[in-house]
Amino acid sequence: MAGSSFGTIFKITTWGESHGKALGVIVDGCPAGLALSESDVQAYLDRRKPGTSALTTQRKEDDLVEILSGVFEGKTTGTPISMIVRNTSQISADYSDVASYYRPGHADYTFDQKYGFRDYRGGGRSSGRETIGRVAAGAIASKLLSALGITVKAYTKSIGPIEIDPANYDEALRLTTPTCMPDAIANEKAVAHLAKAREEMDSVGGCMECVVDGLPAGIGDPVFEKLDANLAKAIMSIGAVKAVEIGDGVLVSKKKGSENNDAFLSGTGTGSPAITKATNHAGGILGGISDGSQIVLRAHVKPTPSIYQKQRTVNQSGEEIEIQIKGRHDPIIVPRAVVVMECMTAITILDAMLVGASSKLTTLKDIYRR
Amino acid sequence: MAGSSFGTIFKITTWGESHGKALGVIVDGCPAGLALSESDVQAYLDRRKPGTSALTTQRKEDDLVEILSGVFEGKTTGTPISMIVRNTSQISADYSDVASYYRPGHADYTFDQKYGFRDYRGGGRSSGRETIGRVAAGAIASKLLSALGITVKAYTKSIGPIEIDPANYDEALRLTTPTCMPDAIANEKAVAHLAKAREEMDSVGGCMECVVDGLPAGIGDPVFEKLDANLAKAIMSIGAVKAVEIGDGVLVSKKKGSENNDAFLSGTGTGSPAITKATNHAGGILGGISDGSQIVLRAHVKPTPSIYQKQRTVNQSGEEIEIQIKGRHDPIIVPRAVVVMECMTAITILDAMLVGASSKLTTLKDIYRR
Amino acid sequence: MAGSSFGTIFKITTWGESHGKALGVIVDGCPAGLALSESDVQAYLDRRKPGTSALTTQRKEDDLVEILSGVFEGKTTGTPISMIVRNTSQISADYSDVASYYRPGHADYTFDQKYGFRDYRGGGRSSGRETIGRVAAGAIASKLLSALGITVKAYTKSIGPIEIDPANYDEALRLTTPTCMPDAIANEKAVAHLAKAREEMDSVGGCMECVVDGLPAGIGDPVFEKLDANLAKAIMSIGAVKAVEIGDGVLVSKKKGSENNDAFLSGTGTGSPAITKATNHAGGILGGISDGSQIVLRAHVKPTPSIYQKQRTVNQSGEEIEIQIKGRHDPIIVPRAVVVMECMTAITILDAMLVGASSKLTTLKDIYRR
Amino acid sequence: MAGSSFGTIFKITTWGESHGKALGVIVDGCPAGLALSESDVQAYLDRRKPGTSALTTQRKEDDLVEILSGVFEGKTTGTPISMIVRNTSQISADYSDVASYYRPGHADYTFDQKYGFRDYRGGGRSSGRETIGRVAAGAIASKLLSALGITVKAYTKSIGPIEIDPANYDEALRLTTPTCMPDAIANEKAVAHLAKAREEMDSVGGCMECVVDGLPAGIGDPVFEKLDANLAKAIMSIGAVKAVEIGDGVLVSKKKGSENNDAFLSGTGTGSPAITKATNHAGGILGGISDGSQIVLRAHVKPTPSIYQKQRTVNQSGEEIEIQIKGRHDPIIVPRAVVVMECMTAITILDAMLVGASSKLTTLKDIYRR
């Protein structure tokens, strides 16, 4: 199936394999008139770059983006924006063994079942490098949202047993700690925890959180295109994510209505009437539509499946074998996935705003009769 | 936006408001030749019917389905199947107050912000009755999957603090207990818990689980149309769901790779090579594609927002007021949502199979050159 | 496939067979706040009703529409509008022969090849009655366009060899002549021509034209979603249409550039700069996008395939046989298809306006920051 | 809007401007296992290359394609195939005048109205170079169809008043004459006609035809996704096409039913029962679904709008001016558009086959239970 596109009006289509010639994305449907340069995009790609700390694989990947279309005289033209990142440091030899067997926790077996064979080099299309296109596209979505007064921020909430303390939240640390934890103390503990996991030839899972500020009330749709439904799809489509929560998430199943309902209060903002909420258990979404308060979502990410310990598996002939994965692998996926979550959230939010531009006849009259 | 459709090949489009004339669904893209009658569909609708126990609202809703098209001489023809359920017992007078203020935890405010006004009778389009169309469509998807040897089963996993014990799982109870808990002991405790909540004029959240057996390996897609991503959207689009988990779900963020990886073993089945897995932490999906083992997913559902206690809110003029909701409301959403989860899962799985029918050139040759 | 939906934001989904219980349509994505009643829709359905003159089948079909959802207190709510027309006068006995053989010019054979069997009563899903849903939906699109100052008008341009003379165009006749020809003289000749064809147990083809006035410049898209491309699809999807022309259409292949180019002149209108064109060979569309002048398109419709003369064909066993079709059939399709063309044009134009609402960043800022 | 994608399962997304850095296409949803190399694609691109005869612009464009993803060890993997063609010979200086005014017959004015500004170099996104992506994608679709026994062939049918004589049809000439006319005599006349037009600083329109052989009966859908409807969209979306005909096309409006109906006869083929038709006025499609006979369609293409004669127009300030277009322009569009028509037809046909793979329950059982 044509499964590499996401979005209705702001539609992205990613392509590329870990060890192919290049990876990239087409962003179609971006409104015209947004100032955009390669450095806007590169800043986001640099956040997912490996080799920047001891936590990530020691592969050096420059991941330099080139914008090939859709921008003229420094502004988006409304036509498709094609962006490409050439693969430069991929050494296919590293993966020769992998061709013959199925790594636990990876998509090797399922690709073979679906397609009959697979590009086994570095995970092929199921590699984490697939997210390059998402991040490049998300950089544009984020810049456009920013022009509308909306900010999207993701960070690491927990790594294994170590969780950030909201009281310690320091925005300055969000993009600078190796863990992407915006809490100096938790970051230090997590770094130590990961060093130990690496020593034990093991890997660690974690949780990331994303918040959206400034989103007007009224964005999203009531049934299948609920804002939270599309966010759930967007985030669950990131490799290794196994759970998505909105607002209080899994906690709601243990709560009472009297605890979980958010009281409406008189407030300020773009809504009419303007309101605030006494609490935000709902995470900013009611009935699939934004309520004007902060959007809050979380994703739970499994530990890196490539570990250096011996593992049991089967080969392509169906024989049981024991393997030991070589190569360079991060002991944790989360810190590099944070920017991906942020980008998928931005893309989803922006698309909901674009498709929702025609919800009211009065808005249409304003647009087309002026 | 046109947000009332779901699916690519097996596409459903639902319509209808709580207190409108009727509700229904169009199922388009259903393969031709499936034996189908109204009783097949009615059996599923009866599972979401209120008034069947003390746990659910005392409204009497017959919810009788009529098939209006797409079936000829007892079999689906391949053309759209239109199904309708007339609203019979809705009394709009009950909801007259609601027109002027915004109920906490409901979509009243967000609808007004999006559309400028709303059908305030019984929640209008954001009512739980919207799921009638999903369930009618899901009944068809389930029957079709069954013809392919695939079964989908959902049940209540927990209600407030009371959780089922997998050791007590009794398939006979799954569809017969008022809680939809397939565990006699847990069911009894949960019934008592709910009675207490009702007494306290409060409501309770819960968790539901769904499992799919018999799904071949190779179903789903690698990037945005991952099977788990589409399941997450499908389930999160059910009103009141605030979290979706696949396999071990939120637990993976606390786990190590050595604990979370599922070893492949030689096995039996339709895959080639045929495998089994020593464990199934992944919930049957790797890289967005089914691996041939059981699909496992969970949804966390918030407590019913309509509670009888006094609540603070604002009215349409933005003034803070105190309200007390009247009418008939379930103290818990979960038992009636279980069949909705099962149906959305069936629809998602079937659609993935239909869009995946063309993944391999060899399959196409088989289809078109025979 | 799910092939019964059309449109991206203003999306319609039709359902129903000629001799099923009912036919209908879901209109999803209609902006909220449009005043709408059943009589708005009925007026359009009445234009496609048979039995109104000697030209059309003598079947009596009341085709009364019921709106089941999506309208509250007389206005569209933004949620799906479900409309239904019950079949009342269909007598299946008339079609019993048809079950066993393939009528020339009909879809009997192709349905059997695609689906394995078919609902043979009155053409089933391939009946002209399928257009009931299109017309009901188009009535809404037309009313909404009208609120934006845009009018869509279709009429019969030719029947067999008889063509209207633009000099005789009389808007008052467009909806009142039995041929839908807005030219009294041509209408009279065509009526006689059709009477003769009926006598000869034959049928006649024709051409219909549609014009759109008041459409602002800038509607449509540059590549695959060109306004003319979507109009071509919309119109070619009407049964029996075999050619679609935009502006000068087929004539352009005989023309020179110096004849075909439309010079731009200073003018008035909503565009900036405001222009007029010296001529309109392009039919109001350049590069897939409206240029602010009148949109002009034509469709060529084949003669009714059901004729009373003896015809050769094969039966389901593949044996060659001779048949003589009974029942009641129009000697021409065009007059009843005119309103269908008008409606499909309105739907396509409106959808292009809705998806185009987000083309410019400045427009988005106006919508979301006010 | 995201208007640069086409297709449901076999989905192509094109990008790039005439004078940008590059142009290209993503082909998503191509079945896995098709042998594919760059030379397969280059052969099709070479057919649309300019500079190959006196009829086409004297610009030299090498248009060398590079496949960047989706092919591994010489076969398609099922993942997106990204193809790129670098722009090498574009000289933006040629187009500096164009920035300030609106060329008649071009999309300059409409782009400005839609997007607020435009990439004016060489037509930007509305350039004929946009079709590079369509042709690269169509080369893959054609090769895949070929593996299923289906061939797609387009050629020039007429240029101005000169038409080919079907009696002279010579397949060897189809791809070798400068006009793409498969008739030596007509080609010679057309070449002379074009030389004269060039002398007169004028341009010429023409008609192209496309036929599909080997397509099984049963491909397509009954309502909006009719095979002919999608073909009409596909072909009308090619710049400069102003009319699309299926089978007898515009002629049907002058015909009688007794002339236009195609009698079914006993025959041979993959259908059941196997049939032939005595005639093929329908062009191989009945009710939107292929009937097993040859698919026939035609497109009428306007004369090149860029002519060297003086023309009236307005500039961006709305002032009327007189212009004389410079640069290098073909005196006719048709010969280079023929391969584009062939490619869009192949893409449309293939996609219909992929989405139709799930039409019957029996087929699904064959696929998933083996």
Side-chain angles (χ1 to χ4, degrees):
Chain A
M1 191 219 175
S4 294
S5 296
F6 185 82
T8 297
I9 299 281
F10 187 87
K11 184 186 289 186
I12 73 169
T13 303
T14 69
W15 56 272
E17 282 85 38
S18 172
H19 284 55
K21 289 191 175 177
L23 301 107
V25 66
I26 313 302
V27 176
D28 200 9
C30 182
L34 178 72
L36 188 73
S37 70
E38 281 160 357
S39 61
D40 292 320
V41 178
Q42 194 63 51
Y44 278 74
L45 284 175
D46 288 348
R47 288 172 58 193
R48 72 164 294 291
K49 204 161 64 173
T52 54
S53 83
L55 299 189
T56 62
T57 165
Q58 296 309 301
R59 290 192 306 273
K60 195 179 162 298
E61 295 171 0
D62 275 337
D63 292 349
L64 294 178
V65 71
E66 188 182 11
I67 297 178
L68 297 171
S69 69
V71 176
F72 181 61
E73 298 181 342
K75 287 190 297 181
T76 58
T77 61
T79 62
I81 303 166
S82 176
M83 295 184 283
I84 187 172
V85 169
R86 291 268 167 185
N87 278 324
T88 53
S89 73
Q90 280 61 34
I91 307 161
S92 293
D94 286 355
Y95 292 95
S96 49
D97 288 1
V98 175
S100 66
Y101 60 72
Y102 300 117
R103 292 169 299 163
H106 279 282
D108 303 338
Y109 179 73
T110 57
F111 265 61
D112 265 16
Q113 299 312 302
K114 180 176 180 65
Y115 296 117
F117 79 118
R118 74 184 187 282
D119 179 347
Y120 49 77
R121 300 165 303 165
R125 182 72 176 143
S126 70
S127 161
R129 285 187 67 70
E130 174 267 323
T131 60
I132 284 177
R134 302 178 184 227
V135 171
I140 298 176
S142 296
K143 187 159 191 199
L144 207 150
L145 286 176
S146 178
L148 298 171
I150 299 159
T151 56
V152 183
K153 291 180 189 173
Y155 46 82
T156 300
K157 189 175 170 59
S158 68
I159 287 181
I162 296 127
E163 198 154 327
I164 62 168
D165 178 348
N168 294 345
Y169 187 95
D170 182 346
E171 173 62 18
L173 297 179
R174 188 173 67 91
L175 304 182
T176 55
T177 57
T179 58
C180 291
M181 281 177 151
D183 169 344
I185 298 165
N187 171 63
E188 199 176 326
K189 285 186 197 164
V191 167
H193 184 77
L194 289 165
K196 187 152 168 291
R198 188 187 282 277
E199 236 170 77
E200 292 166 352
M201 300 199 295
D202 215 334
S203 62
V204 177
C207 174
M208 46 199 190
E209 191 165 68
C210 186
V211 296
V212 183
D213 289 288
L215 187 67
I219 306 301
D221 270 279
V223 185
F224 298 113
E225 303 296 323
K226 283 186 168 83
L227 186 57
D228 35 356
N230 278 323
L231 286 169
K233 175 171 179 170
I235 304 308
M236 194 69 96
S237 79
I238 303 171
V241 171
K242 301 300 285 184
V244 178
E245 302 181 89
I246 306 290
D248 283 4
V250 297
L251 293 181
V252 300
S253 58
K254 307 289 187 213
K255 287 167 73 183
K256 295 181 177 175
S258 58
E259 297 162 344
N260 193 58
N261 284 350
D262 301 314
F264 289 109
L265 306 175
S266 295
T268 57
T270 57
S272 166
I275 57 112
T276 58
K277 292 181 347 193
T279 50
N280 188 20
H281 300 300
I285 303 176
L286 286 169
I289 303 172
S290 65
D291 65 15
S293 46
Q294 188 182 57
I295 306 291
V296 182
L297 57 154
R298 277 179 306 287
H300 294 263
V301 182
K302 72 179 185 184
T304 315
S306 287
I307 54 173
Y308 299 112
Q309 297 178 22
K310 282 187 183 165
Q311 295 185 87
R312 284 190 305 165
T313 190
V314 299
N315 62 21
Q316 285 190 302
S317 314
E319 297 158 339
E320 301 194 357
I321 58 172
E322 202 177 65
I323 61 163
Q324 203 163 0
I325 291 174
K326 294 173 221 154
R328 302 156 298 179
H329 301 285
D330 297 352
I332 184 158
I333 291 167
V334 163
R336 293 181 62 198
V338 160
V339 66
V340 184
M341 183 186 199
E342 189 174 307
C343 283
M344 290 305 297
T345 300
I347 290 164
T348 306
I349 296 278
L350 175 58
D351 192 45
M353 295 182 78
L354 300 190
V355 299
S358 55
S359 296
K360 293 185 216 171
L361 180 55
T362 51
T363 309
L364 279 181
K365 284 184 179 171
D366 287 344
I367 296 173
Y368 286 115
R369 308 208 65 180
R370 65 172 65 125
Chain B
M1 190 217 176
S4 292
S5 296
F6 187 82
T8 297
I9 298 281
F10 187 89
K11 184 186 289 187
I12 74 169
T13 303
T14 69
W15 57 272
E17 282 85 37
S18 174
H19 283 54
K21 289 190 175 178
L23 300 106
V25 66
I26 313 303
V27 177
D28 199 9
C30 182
L34 178 72
L36 187 74
S37 71
E38 280 159 358
S39 61
D40 292 320
V41 178
Q42 194 62 51
Y44 277 74
L45 284 175
D46 288 349
R47 287 173 59 193
R48 71 163 295 291
K49 202 160 67 175
T52 54
S53 84
L55 300 189
T56 63
T57 163
Q58 295 310 300
R59 291 191 305 274
K60 196 179 160 298
E61 295 171 0
D62 276 338
D63 291 349
L64 293 177
V65 72
E66 188 182 9
I67 297 179
L68 297 171
S69 69
V71 176
F72 182 59
E73 297 181 343
K75 286 189 297 182
T76 58
T77 61
T79 62
I81 303 166
S82 176
M83 296 184 283
I84 187 173
V85 168
R86 290 268 169 187
N87 278 326
T88 53
S89 73
Q90 280 61 36
I91 307 161
S92 293
D94 285 356
Y95 293 94
S96 49
D97 289 0
V98 176
S100 66
Y101 60 72
Y102 301 117
R103 293 169 298 164
H106 280 282
D108 303 338
Y109 179 72
T110 57
F111 265 62
D112 266 16
Q113 299 311 303
K114 181 177 180 66
Y115 297 117
F117 79 119
R118 72 185 188 281
D119 180 347
Y120 50 76
R121 301 166 302 165
R125 182 71 177 144
S126 71
S127 162
R129 284 186 68 71
E130 173 266 323
T131 61
I132 283 177
R134 302 177 184 228
V135 170
I140 298 176
S142 296
K143 189 163 191 198
L144 207 151
L145 286 176
S146 178
L148 298 170
I150 299 158
T151 56
V152 183
K153 291 179 188 172
Y155 45 82
T156 300
K157 189 174 169 61
S158 69
I159 286 180
I162 295 127
E163 198 154 328
I164 62 168
D165 179 348
N168 294 346
Y169 186 96
D170 182 346
E171 172 62 19
L173 297 179
R174 188 173 67 92
L175 305 182
T176 55
T177 57
T179 58
C180 291
M181 281 178 151
D183 169 345
I185 299 165
N187 171 62
E188 200 175 325
K189 285 185 196 163
V191 167
H193 184 78
L194 288 165
K196 189 155 166 289
R198 189 188 280 276
E199 235 170 78
E200 293 167 349
M201 301 199 296
D202 215 334
S203 63
V204 177
C207 173
M208 46 199 191
E209 190 164 69
C210 186
V211 297
V212 183
D213 289 289
L215 187 67
I219 305 302
D221 271 277
V223 184
F224 299 113
E225 301 297 322
K226 284 187 167 81
L227 186 56
D228 34 357
N230 278 322
L231 286 168
K233 176 172 179 171
I235 304 309
M236 194 69 94
S237 78
I238 303 170
V241 171
K242 300 300 284 185
V244 178
E245 301 181 273
I246 306 291
D248 284 3
V250 297
L251 293 182
V252 300
S253 58
K254 307 288 187 212
K255 288 167 72 183
K256 295 181 177 173
S258 57
E259 296 162 345
N260 193 58
N261 284 350
D262 300 314
F264 289 110
L265 306 175
S266 295
T268 57
T270 56
S272 167
I275 57 111
T276 59
K277 292 181 347 195
T279 50
N280 186 20
H281 300 299
I285 303 175
L286 287 169
I289 303 171
S290 65
D291 66 14
S293 45
Q294 189 181 57
I295 306 291
V296 182
L297 56 155
R298 276 178 307 287
H300 295 264
V301 182
K302 72 178 184 184
T304 315
S306 288
I307 54 173
Y308 299 111
Q309 297 178 21
K310 283 187 181 162
Q311 296 186 86
R312 285 189 304 164
T313 190
V314 298
N315 62 20
Q316 285 190 301
S317 314
E319 298 158 337
E320 300 195 359
I321 57 171
E322 201 177 65
I323 62 164
Q324 202 163 1
I325 291 175
K326 294 173 220 155
R328 302 154 300 179
H329 301 283
D330 297 352
I332 183 159
I333 291 166
V334 164
R336 294 180 61 198
V338 160
V339 67
V340 183
M341 185 188 197
E342 189 175 308
C343 283
M344 289 305 297
T345 300
I347 289 164
T348 306
I349 295 278
L350 175 58
D351 191 45
M353 295 183 78
L354 300 190
V355 298
S358 55
S359 296
K360 292 184 217 171
L361 180 55
T362 51
T363 309
L364 278 182
K365 284 184 177 169
D366 287 345
I367 296 172
Y368 286 115
R369 309 208 63 180
R370 66 172 64 127
Chain C
M1 192 220 174
S4 293
S5 296
F6 186 82
T8 297
I9 298 282
F10 188 88
K11 184 186 288 187
I12 73 169
T13 303
T14 70
W15 57 271
E17 283 85 38
S18 174
H19 283 55
K21 289 190 175 178
L23 301 106
V25 65
I26 313 302
V27 177
D28 199 9
C30 183
L34 178 72
L36 187 75
S37 70
E38 280 159 358
S39 61
D40 292 320
V41 177
Q42 194 62 50
Y44 278 74
L45 285 174
D46 289 348
R47 288 173 57 193
R48 72 163 293 293
K49 204 161 64 173
T52 54
S53 84
L55 301 190
T56 62
T57 164
Q58 296 310 302
R59 290 192 305 274
K60 195 177 163 301
E61 296 170 1
D62 276 337
D63 292 348
L64 294 177
V65 71
E66 189 182 10
I67 298 178
L68 298 171
S69 68
V71 176
F72 181 61
E73 298 181 342
K75 287 189 297 182
T76 58
T77 61
T79 62
I81 303 166
S82 176
M83 295 184 283
I84 186 172
V85 169
R86 290 268 168 186
N87 278 324
T88 52
S89 73
Q90 281 60 36
I91 306 160
S92 294
D94 285 357
Y95 293 94
S96 49
D97 289 0
V98 176
S100 67
Y101 60 73
Y102 301 117
R103 293 169 299 164
H106 279 283
D108 303 337
Y109 179 72
T110 57
F111 265 62
D112 266 16
Q113 300 311 303
K114 180 176 181 67
Y115 297 118
F117 79 118
R118 73 184 187 282
D119 179 347
Y120 50 75
R121 302 165 302 166
R125 182 72 177 142
S126 70
S127 162
R129 286 185 68 70
E130 173 267 323
T131 61
I132 284 176
R134 301 178 184 227
V135 171
I140 298 176
S142 296
K143 187 159 191 199
L144 207 149
L145 286 176
S146 177
L148 298 171
I150 299 159
T151 56
V152 183
K153 292 179 187 172
Y155 46 82
T156 301
K157 187 175 171 59
S158 70
I159 287 180
I162 295 125
E163 198 152 329
I164 62 168
D165 178 347
N168 295 346
Y169 187 96
D170 183 346
E171 172 62 18
L173 298 179
R174 188 172 68 91
L175 304 182
T176 54
T177 58
T179 58
C180 291
M181 280 177 152
D183 168 345
I185 300 165
N187 171 63
E188 200 176 324
K189 286 186 196 162
V191 167
H193 184 77
L194 288 165
K196 187 153 166 291
R198 188 187 281 276
E199 236 171 76
E200 292 167 353
M201 300 198 296
D202 215 334
S203 62
V204 177
C207 173
M208 47 198 189
E209 191 163 69
C210 186
V211 296
V212 183
D213 289 287
L215 187 67
I219 306 301
D221 271 279
V223 184
F224 298 113
E225 301 297 323
K226 283 187 167 82
L227 186 57
D228 36 355
N230 278 323
L231 286 168
K233 175 171 179 171
I235 304 308
M236 194 70 95
S237 79
I238 303 171
V241 171
K242 300 300 284 186
V244 178
E245 302 181 271
I246 305 291
D248 284 3
V250 297
L251 293 183
V252 300
S253 58
K254 307 289 186 214
K255 287 168 73 182
K256 294 182 178 173
S258 57
E259 296 161 344
N260 194 58
N261 283 351
D262 301 315
F264 289 110
L265 305 175
S266 294
T268 56
T270 57
S272 167
I275 56 113
T276 59
K277 290 180 351 193
T279 50
N280 187 19
H281 300 299
I285 303 175
L286 287 169
I289 303 170
S290 65
D291 66 14
S293 46
Q294 189 181 55
I295 306 290
V296 182
L297 57 154
R298 277 178 306 286
H300 295 264
V301 182
K302 73 179 184 183
T304 316
S306 287
I307 54 173
Y308 299 111
Q309 296 178 23
K310 283 186 182 165
Q311 297 185 87
R312 286 189 303 165
T313 191
V314 300
N315 62 19
Q316 287 191 300
S317 314
E319 297 158 340
E320 299 195 358
I321 58 172
E322 202 177 62
I323 62 165
Q324 203 163 0
I325 291 174
K326 293 174 222 155
R328 302 155 298 181
H329 301 285
D330 298 352
I332 183 159
I333 291 166
V334 163
R336 293 180 62 199
V338 161
V339 65
V340 184
M341 185 187 197
E342 188 174 309
C343 284
M344 289 305 297
T345 300
I347 290 163
T348 306
I349 296 278
L350 175 57
D351 191 45
M353 294 182 78
L354 300 190
V355 299
S358 55
S359 296
K360 292 184 219 171
L361 180 54
T362 51
T363 310
L364 279 182
K365 284 183 178 170
D366 286 346
I367 297 172
Y368 287 115
R369 307 207 66 179
R370 66 173 65 126
Chain D
M1 191 219 175
S4 293
S5 296
F6 186 82
T8 297
I9 298 283
F10 187 88
K11 184 186 289 188
I12 73 169
T13 303
T14 69
W15 57 272
E17 282 85 37
S18 173
H19 283 55
K21 288 191 176 177
L23 300 106
V25 65
I26 313 302
V27 177
D28 199 10
C30 182
L34 178 72
L36 187 74
S37 69
E38 280 159 357
S39 60
D40 291 320
V41 177
Q42 193 63 50
Y44 277 74
L45 284 175
D46 289 349
R47 287 173 59 192
R48 71 164 294 292
K49 203 160 66 175
T52 54
S53 84
L55 300 189
T56 62
T57 164
Q58 295 310 301
R59 288 193 306 274
K60 196 175 163 301
E61 296 171 0
D62 276 338
D63 291 350
L64 295 177
V65 71
E66 188 182 10
I67 298 179
L68 297 172
S69 69
V71 176
F72 182 59
E73 297 181 343
K75 286 190 297 183
T76 58
T77 60
T79 62
I81 303 167
S82 176
M83 295 184 284
I84 187 172
V85 168
R86 289 269 169 185
N87 278 325
T88 53
S89 73
Q90 280 61 36
I91 306 161
S92 293
D94 285 356
Y95 292 94
S96 47
D97 288 1
V98 176
S100 66
Y101 60 73
Y102 301 117
R103 292 169 298 163
H106 280 282
D108 303 337
Y109 179 73
T110 56
F111 266 61
D112 266 15
Q113 299 312 302
K114 181 177 179 66
Y115 297 117
F117 79 119
R118 73 185 189 282
D119 179 347
Y120 50 75
R121 300 165 303 165
R125 183 70 178 144
S126 70
S127 162
R129 285 186 69 70
E130 174 267 323
T131 61
I132 283 177
R134 302 179 184 228
V135 171
I140 297 176
S142 297
K143 188 161 191 197
L144 206 150
L145 286 177
S146 177
L148 298 170
I150 299 158
T151 56
V152 183
K153 290 179 189 171
Y155 45 83
T156 301
K157 189 175 169 60
S158 70
I159 286 181
I162 296 127
E163 199 153 329
I164 62 167
D165 178 348
N168 294 346
Y169 187 96
D170 183 346
E171 172 63 17
L173 296 179
R174 188 173 66 92
L175 304 182
T176 55
T177 57
T179 58
C180 290
M181 281 179 151
D183 169 342
I185 299 166
N187 172 63
E188 200 176 326
K189 285 186 197 162
V191 167
H193 184 77
L194 288 165
K196 187 151 168 292
R198 189 188 281 275
E199 237 170 75
E200 293 167 350
M201 300 198 295
D202 215 335
S203 63
V204 177
C207 174
M208 46 198 190
E209 190 164 67
C210 186
V211 296
V212 183
D213 289 288
L215 187 67
I219 306 301
D221 271 278
V223 185
F224 298 113
E225 302 296 323
K226 284 187 167 81
L227 186 57
D228 34 356
N230 277 323
L231 286 169
K233 176 172 179 171
I235 304 308
M236 194 69 94
S237 78
I238 303 171
V241 171
K242 300 301 285 187
V244 178
E245 303 182 89
I246 305 291
D248 283 4
V250 296
L251 293 182
V252 301
S253 58
K254 307 289 186 213
K255 287 168 74 183
K256 295 182 177 174
S258 58
E259 296 161 344
N260 193 58
N261 282 351
D262 302 313
F264 289 110
L265 306 175
S266 294
T268 56
T270 56
S272 166
I275 56 112
T276 58
K277 292 180 350 195
T279 50
N280 187 21
H281 300 299
I285 303 176
L286 286 169
I289 304 171
S290 65
D291 67 13
S293 46
Q294 189 180 56
I295 306 292
V296 182
L297 57 154
R298 275 178 307 288
H300 295 264
V301 182
K302 72 178 184 185
T304 316
S306 287
I307 55 173
Y308 299 111
Q309 297 178 22
K310 283 185 182 165
Q311 295 186 87
R312 283 190 304 165
T313 191
V314 299
N315 62 20
Q316 286 190 300
S317 314
E319 298 158 338
E320 300 195 358
I321 57 171
E322 202 177 64
I323 61 164
Q324 203 162 358
I325 291 174
K326 294 174 222 155
R328 299 155 301 180
H329 301 285
D330 297 353
I332 183 159
I333 291 166
V334 164
R336 294 179 62 197
V338 160
V339 65
V340 184
M341 185 188 198
E342 188 175 309
C343 283
M344 289 306 297
T345 301
I347 290 163
T348 306
I349 296 278
L350 175 58
D351 191 45
M353 295 183 77
L354 300 190
V355 298
S358 54
S359 296
K360 293 185 218 172
L361 180 56
T362 51
T363 309
L364 278 183
K365 284 184 178 170
D366 287 345
I367 296 173
Y368 286 115
R369 308 207 66 178
R370 64 172 69 122

